[in-house]
């Protein structure tokens, strides 16, 4: 089974973000492999272990994104493709999907895996766009998954519970956080990752010229909520909250 | 004049997803002709409520194919309708279903697609909130029509205006080639008490509770208050203390209760976007520097494990 896992390097989502001009300041915060993508890598590795085949990690990003790529390779992925091009800085969902789909298409694939959305952009649109561009079905928001005899079956998160959704491979799959337990890279894995092949491509290599289709017109502070009253608990905290609830007429 | 479409997602129960009505309420204030597209069982009947909320025309099909297969048939039909009627802007609810439909459509049309809009500024301009809602970003949408925008739930209040819509049946043939992501079964999770998105009070817990055993404190407090739903942060869901259905935030649900009570929640951006519009916010947290306090009407800096049991007693005595 040929599995491609899409990953993204993002500024550590556990740190506060800042702007540089109208773009996210990617220098201010330590870049990491998007924590949501670790579940995608793990899902790919598990399937390859069960069904045979290779896991290719695919990313679009600056040269520095190689660190996130190595992290995924050290978990056990076999090889990588990094599309890196200054012309792609600030790429929106449309451009990103076109680039990733074009990179995937160059090789035979059975399954493309991604997280549900990136921790920084949070558009959540790219995986289903890739599915459309590749002409394959999508199985998104999986909280459980199984591949059997060429059919992918997932439990797909819904507002009310989940749906059982199935489709024949090839397909695009997105996994929610918690779908599995991502492994930690072993020392051996980290050493091996340094020698695993990573193909580097430009937009031109993919025959693409993409342009951003969204412009930031203005950035303004949101109207502040009136700062309320903050108390150090001196034993009366519970009573204060209960009074507040009573005044709000909810008890 | 711009032609603005709202994708009126049909739920499993055959009614319109509420966010679509919220979007229509806002869309009718924009400079444009507002129309809706409803696909799936119940769509034709839904034209009445869509008309009341501002749609002048509803393109409707009751074909069950739209429920039986995820996203692809709907995006296919929308694409065909788009070629015929040429809308300038299509607005989608930010839901699991609509996100896939919008994305597949955008890949076909090559249009720009913007997610997480929290306000609409015109036929090619929308606003989103970043960094936990502390900054508002106005975005200009460029490139070919239709521009595609996903709007977060509860960005607007749904209010009927008393209008009515003309129904135009959708007669797009759905080829087998797009019937490939099959919905075999729908499972509705058992839950007690009011729905998280509709409860007047939400008691939400975070990692500050320490461990899974302490989660019962959140449930006891919600039980004591009554008519309160329990919610959680992503960290708690990822740690598998509670199911994903309780998650509030960017990747979870958006709530807007009369009172939001945050227990052991620091206030990460990912969580705040799902609850910041609550009428009143109360927070209990050990860390006086926790960002949640900046949003709070009442904040208590202290140990939730001590305060919550005391609060349960206080609430009970005030209700007695």
């Amino acid at each position: 089974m040929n599995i491609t896992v899409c990953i993204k390097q993002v500024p550590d989502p556990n740190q506060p973000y800042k702007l540089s001009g109208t773009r996210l300041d990617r220098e201010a915060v330590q870049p990491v492999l998007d924590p949501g993508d670790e579940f995608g890598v793990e899902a790919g590795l598990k399937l390859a272990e069960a069904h045979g085949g290779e896991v290719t990690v695919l990313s679009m990003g600056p040269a520095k994104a190689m660190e996130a790529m190595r992290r995924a390779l050290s978990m056990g992925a076999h090889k990588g493709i990094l599309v890196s091009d200054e012309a792609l800085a600030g790429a929106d969902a449309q451009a990103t999907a076109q680039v990733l789909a074009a990179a995937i298409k160059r090789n035979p694939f059975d399954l493309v895996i991604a997280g549900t959305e990136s921790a920084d952009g949070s558009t959540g649109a790219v995986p289903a766009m890739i599915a459309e561009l590749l002409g394959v079905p999508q199985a998104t928001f999986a909280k459980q998954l199984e591949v059997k005899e060429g059919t992918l079956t997932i439990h797909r998160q819904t507002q009310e519970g989940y749906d059982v959704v199935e489709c024949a491979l090839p397909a695009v799959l997105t996994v929610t956080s918690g779908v599995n337990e991502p492994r930690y890279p072993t020392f051996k894995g980290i050493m091996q990752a340094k020698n695993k092949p990573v193909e580097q491509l430009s937009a031109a290599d993919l025959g693409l010229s993409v342009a951003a289709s969204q412009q930031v017109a203005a950035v303004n502070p949101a109207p502040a909520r009136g700062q309320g009253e903050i108390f150090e608990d001196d034993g009366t905290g519970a009573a204060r909250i209960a009074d507040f609830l009573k005044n709000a007429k909810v008890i | 004049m711009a032609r603005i479409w709202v994708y009126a997602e049909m739920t499993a129960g055959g009614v319109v997803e509420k966010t679509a009505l919220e979007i229509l309420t806002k869309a009718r204030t924009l400079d444009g002709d507002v129309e809706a597209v409803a696909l799936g069982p119940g769509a034709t009947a839904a034209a009445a409520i869509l008309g009341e909320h501002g749609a002048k025309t509803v393109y409707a099909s009751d074909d069950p194919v739209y429920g039986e297969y995820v996203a692809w048939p709907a995006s296919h039909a929308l694409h065909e309708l788009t070629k015929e009627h040429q809308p300038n802007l299509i607005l989608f609810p930010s839901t699991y279903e609509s996100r896939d439909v919008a994305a597949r459509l955008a890949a076909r049309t090559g249009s720009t697609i913007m997610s997480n809009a929290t306000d609409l500024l015109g036929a090619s301009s929308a606003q989103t909130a970043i960094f936990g809602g502390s900054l508002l970003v106005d975005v200009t949408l460029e490139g070919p029509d239709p521009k595609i925008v996903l709007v977060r739930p509860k960005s607007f209040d749904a209010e009927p205006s008393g209008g009515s819509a003309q129904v135009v049946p959708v007669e797009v043939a759905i080829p087998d080639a797009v019937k490939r992501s099959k919905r075999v079964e729908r499972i509705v999770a058992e839950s007690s008490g009011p729905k998280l998105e509709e409860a007047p009070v939400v008691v939400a817990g975070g990692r500050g509770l320490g461990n899974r055993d302490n989660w019962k404190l959140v449930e006891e407090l919600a039980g004591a208050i009554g008519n309160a739903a329990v919610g959680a942060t992503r960290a708690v869901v990822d740690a598998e203390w509670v199911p994903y259905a309780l998650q509030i935030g960017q990747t979870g649900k958006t709530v807007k209760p009369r009172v939001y009570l945050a227990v052991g929640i620091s206030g990460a951006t990912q969580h705040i976007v799902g609850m910041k519009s609550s009428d009143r916010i109360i927070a209990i947290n050990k860390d006086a520097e926790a960002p949640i306090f900046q949003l709070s009407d009442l904040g208590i800096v202290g140990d939730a494990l001590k305060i919550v049991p005391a609060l349960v007693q206080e609430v009970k005595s005030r209700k007695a």
Side-chain angles (χ1 to χ4, degrees), chain B residues 78-276:
Chain B
L78 270 173
H79 186 218
E80 295 301 312
L81 291 169
T82 296
K83 284 191 272 188
E84 189 180 346
H85 302 285
Q86 306 196 340
N88 304 99
L89 171 68
I90 309 182
L91 303 166
F92 291 81
S94 242
T95 61
Y96 299 111
E97 290 300 304
S98 292
R99 216 149 69 146
D100 283 359
V101 177
R104 289 202 83 111
L105 176 64
R108 280 201 183 187
T109 60
S111 312
T112 195
I113 176 167
M114 173 178 168
S115 298
N116 294 308
T118 49
D119 201 359
L120 303 167
L121 309 174
S124 58
S125 181
Q127 191 174 72
T128 186
I130 60 168
F131 303 171
S134 60
L135 291 177
L136 302 177
V137 182
D138 296 352
V139 178
T140 304
L141 306 168
E142 299 175 346
D145 284 343
K147 314 291 195 279
I148 294 173
V149 176
L150 288 147
V151 183
R152 281 194 72 86
K154 296 192 165 62
S155 295
F156 317 106
D157 291 326
E159 282 164 24
S161 62
S164 66
Q166 175 204 357
V167 179
V168 177
V170 173
E171 276 151 9
V172 175
I174 302 299
D176 286 345
V178 304
K179 295 184 206 166
R180 283 159 67 186
S181 192
K182 187 173 171 57
R183 200 184 320 259
V184 181
E185 198 178 358
R186 294 184 193 260
I187 310 288
V188 176
E190 294 288 326
S191 65
S192 54
K195 278 181 74 178
L196 186 51
E197 301 99 313
E198 290 162 13
V201 180
V202 171
V203 181
R207 269 314 257 277
L209 284 159
N211 61 55
R212 186 201 298 245
D213 291 342
N214 293 328
W215 186 258
K216 63 180 184 299
L217 293 175
V218 173
E219 288 169 347
E220 281 169 17
L221 179 53
I225 292 169
N227 214 9
V230 168
T233 63
R234 177 172 174 172
V236 162
V237 172
D238 286 355
E240 298 185 344
W241 295 3
V242 295
Y244 184 87
L246 300 192
Q247 186 170 318
I248 294 168
Q250 180 73 44
T251 45
K253 291 181 172 156
T254 304
V255 299
K256 205 176 168 183
R258 282 163 59 199
V259 176
Y260 189 87
L261 212 165
V263 182
I265 292 175
S266 64
T269 299
Q270 125 80 31
H271 182 69
I272 287 176
V273 295
M275 48 63 74
K276 67 181 167 55

Side-chain angles (χ1 to χ4, degrees), chain A residues 94 117 122-123 132 138 140 156 162-164 166 177 213-215 217-218 220 222 229 231 233 243, chain B residues 97 99-100 104 108 111-113 115-116 134 136 138 140 142 181-185 187 234 299 301 318:
Chain A
Q94 181 66 250
E117 63 182 37
S122 301
T123 59
E132 180 67 34
Q138 85 293 335
T140 50
R156 179 176 191 264
Y162 66 90
D163 291 348
V164 181
E166 64 179 35
S177 297
S213 55
Q214 292 175 23
Q215 304 296 334
N220 293 299
E229 295 184 289
F231 298 98
D233 183 37
D243 289 342
Chain B
E97 290 300 304
R99 216 149 69 146
D100 283 359
R104 289 202 83 111
R108 280 201 183 187
S111 312
T112 195
I113 176 167
S115 298
N116 294 308
S134 60
L136 302 177
D138 296 352
T140 304
E142 299 175 346
S181 192
K182 187 173 171 57
R183 200 184 320 259
V184 181
E185 198 178 358
I187 310 288
R234 177 172 174 172
V301 182
R318 276 168 179 71

